[in-house]
Amino acid sequence: MKPYLLTTGSLFALVALAHLLRTVAEWSRVTSDPGFIVEGPGLGLICVALSLWAWRLLRSARPA
């Protein structure tokens, strides 16, 4: 279970970082395109939440 949580938490963190970088790079779209809020920062926040959830579960997992 621990390798799965470690992998999942890391992958979601990387995807969240990619969405953050994309949002910064395309900042002009945030103000002009309302759909980009869901596509960029919105999905990034969901990935952050899933990553934090995986890391929290990893910390509470029993030792192998």
Side-chain angles (χ1 to χ4, degrees):
M1 184 75 163
K2 281 190 174 191
Y4 171 77
L5 290 172
L6 184 64
T7 303
T8 302
S10 299
L11 286 176
F12 275 120
L14 288 174
V15 172
L17 179 64
H19 279 283
L20 173 69
L21 294 175
R22 181 177 179 205
T23 301
V24 169
E26 300 179 16
W27 185 251
S28 61
R29 283 186 63 192
V30 172
T31 57
S32 64
D33 183 13
F36 183 70
I37 301 255
V38 173
E39 186 181 326
L43 289 176
L45 290 174
I46 291 170
C47 288
V48 165
L50 290 171
S51 177
L52 290 174
W53 184 30
W55 287 105
R56 187 179 64 88
L57 288 174
L58 180 65
R59 284 186 54 209
S60 67
R62 287 183 288 174

